[in-house]
Amino acid sequence: MNLKYCIECVTPNTRPELYFNKEGVCSACTNSKIKKKINWKKRRIEFNKIIKKHKIICKDNDYNCIVPVSGGKDSIYQLFEIKKKHNMKPLAITWRTLARTKLGEENLDALRNIGVDHIDFTINPKIINDLTRKSFIKFGDSSYIDHLCIYNLIPNLALKFQIPLIIWGENMYFEYGGGEEKSSERTQNVSLINSHHILKNYVTEKWVSKKISKRDISSFATPDTKKLKQLKYEPIYYGYYFPWDIKNNFRIAKKVGFNARKAGPIMGLYSQSDVDCMNIVIHHYFKWLKFGFNRVTDNSSNEIRKKRLTRDQAVNLVIKYDGYKPPQEYISKFCKQINITETFFWKVANKFRNKKIWKKNEKKQWYIKNWIGGDKRPDKFPHTKISKKEKINLNN
C-alpha cells in the first residue's frame, strides 16, 4: 500500500471514509471549504422551524428533545445552547462508560449549572466487560462497545419516552471526511451510523450467545426502524445548522463548569479533549497501528483547516508526538477491566498492526514506510506529554 497524505492537511489516505480529489486534497479539507459557502442564516431559520414544530408535538411531554451528553466539551456546549439559547426542555442522556475518569465525572456536574434532567445510564457491567473483551480481540478496538451503546441507546430511549427529536453534535462524515452524500446529511439515521467504520457494520444482535440473551442487550439492541418511523423520529446534527468549532465549544462549556486537564493533553494536542474516558485514549492509539496516524494527526489537521496552524508546523508535531503509547495506568486499568494480561494486550495490538504500511528495519524494529516523517523513526516510544509550549490552547 502506498501511503499518501493530503496536500493541505496531514491526514493520510488510510483514514476510513476519507476521499482524495484529483489534486490530492482530502474530503475533510474540501468540506471545510464548503462551510464558507453555506448560508448559515438560512439554516438557522430552518433549525428554528424544527424546534418550534417539536415544541408543539411534545407540548404534553415533560421533554421536547433528547441531547446525548458524554461529559466532554462539545456535548456540554450543545446542551447549553439547546436549553438556554433555544429555550427547549431537553432530556440529557449519558451512556456511562465503565472507564470514566474522575475529571469526566466532575465535568458532568456542569449539567447542574445548566439546569436539566439527566439520565446517567449504566448497562450491566458484566455484559459490557464481556463484550468489550470479545470486541477488543475481534476488532482491536477498546471503544467499539461504548460507541455501539451510545448510538443505539439513544433511539431506544426516544421510543420509550416518545420523544422524536434528538440533537446530536457534528456529522462525522462532514467534519472528518466522507463522501458527498453522507457529508451533506442533516439527520443521523440508523443505517448511516451502522455503516460507519466506528461500528464495523456489526450489529448488537450478533453478540447474542448461550451466555448473553436478547434481554441482556435489549437497551442497546438495534433500534426498531418501523417504530421510529411511527414516532416520526428526527435525529439531527446541531453542526449542520450552526458552524462547528471546538474552540468555540470549549469557550462556552467552560463558562458552565467544564474543565480541561490541568496537566495538559493526554493524547493529541488538546487538553480539553478525551478527558472523560480512559478507553478512548487506547482506541486512538490503535489507529496508529491500523492506519499509521494518531490523535496528533487528527488535531493538527483540524487546526490547519481552521487556519490556526500551518502544514509545516503540523508535520513537525506529528513527527515529534504521533504514535506515542497511552499512559501505563490506562493500559493496566483496561486490562483489569476486561480480565486480560498486559502481555495479551500487546499480542492483540501486534495482531492489528497493518502490515501493508508497517515494515521492519535491519534491527527488526517496526516503522511506517512512506510516513510523513520519513522511514527512520522506529515504533518503540513510551507515552509522553505534549509540551506546554506546543499544545493547542483553545482558550486563547
Side-chain angles (χ1 to χ4, degrees), residues 80-259:
F80 175 82
E81 292 285 288
I82 297 304
K83 167 76 175 183
K84 301 295 185 181
K85 185 175 180 179
H86 303 291
N87 196 30
M88 294 288 279
K89 296 188 297 180
L91 172 61
I93 299 178
T94 301
W95 146 249
R96 186 180 179 89
T97 170
L98 299 180
R100 181 179 288 170
T101 64
K102 182 180 178 182
L103 182 57
E105 188 74 40
E106 292 172 354
N107 279 332
L108 282 173
D109 286 343
L111 274 61
R112 299 179 184 178
N113 299 328
I114 297 173
V116 295
D117 288 0
H118 175 222
I119 295 176
D120 198 7
F121 200 101
T122 302
I123 294 172
N124 184 341
K126 290 184 178 180
I127 298 297
I128 295 303
N129 284 337
D130 185 32
L131 294 185
T132 300
R133 180 175 61 256
K134 290 177 179 177
S135 60
F136 176 66
I137 295 170
K138 185 177 182 65
F139 299 125
D141 191 339
S142 58
S143 297
Y144 158 78
I145 289 298
D146 289 345
H147 290 127
L148 187 67
C149 290
I150 290 167
Y151 291 114
N152 285 347
L153 175 67
I154 299 301
N156 285 335
L157 289 181
L159 288 170
K160 288 185 180 298
F161 285 99
Q162 290 294 289
I163 305 172
L165 181 62
I166 314 297
I167 304 177
W168 294 91
E170 76 274 41
N171 180 331
M172 296 181 289
Y173 293 98
F174 185 67
E175 291 295 327
Y176 312 117
E180 183 177 347
E181 184 178 348
K182 292 179 179 179
S183 293
S184 61
E185 289 282 354
R186 72 172 188 85
T187 60
Q188 184 196 96
N189 61 63
V190 174
S191 60
L192 186 73
I193 290 300
N194 282 340
S195 65
H196 193 277
H197 177 78
I198 202 167
L199 293 188
K200 326 297 181 192
N201 204 19
Y202 200 86
V203 297
T204 309
E205 290 68 28
K206 289 186 177 182
W207 296 109
V208 174
S209 64
K210 291 181 179 180
K211 294 183 177 180
I212 298 176
S213 68
K214 289 185 178 180
R215 179 172 292 181
D216 289 329
I217 55 95
S218 61
S219 59
F220 60 103
T222 303
D224 189 321
T225 52
K226 289 184 179 180
K227 290 183 178 179
L228 288 174
K229 188 175 181 180
Q230 292 172 356
L231 180 65
K232 296 184 179 179
Y233 183 63
E234 192 168 7
I236 62 175
Y237 293 112
Y238 194 70
Y240 176 88
Y241 299 97
F242 300 91
W244 189 264
D245 184 357
I246 56 177
K247 181 175 183 176
N248 176 63
N249 298 358
F250 171 62
R251 179 179 58 80
I252 293 175
K254 187 178 180 181
K255 288 182 178 180
V256 294
F258 174 85
N259 290 305

Side-chain angles (χ1 to χ4, degrees), residues 302-360:
N302 179 65
E303 290 302 303
I304 289 173
R305 295 175 198 129
K306 294 295 190 296
K307 308 298 182 184
R308 298 193 287 254
L309 201 67
T310 67
R311 192 175 190 276
D312 286 343
Q313 288 173 321
V315 170
N316 289 332
L317 287 169
V318 169
I319 292 172
K320 193 169 183 180
Y321 294 113
D322 225 11
Y324 281 79
K325 294 178 176 65
Q328 179 59 41
E329 174 194 2
Y330 283 31
I331 295 173
S332 298
K333 287 188 176 181
F334 176 69
C335 291
K336 184 177 181 180
Q337 177 192 335
I338 64 172
N339 194 27
I340 63 172
T341 65
E342 290 187 31
T343 299
F344 185 74
F345 173 91
W346 289 112
K347 183 178 180 180
V348 173
N350 196 52
K351 170 188 171 184
F352 285 94
R353 191 186 294 272
N354 186 349
K355 306 305 189 300
K356 292 181 179 180
I357 61 174
W358 285 95
K359 305 299 176 183
K360 283 189 175 181

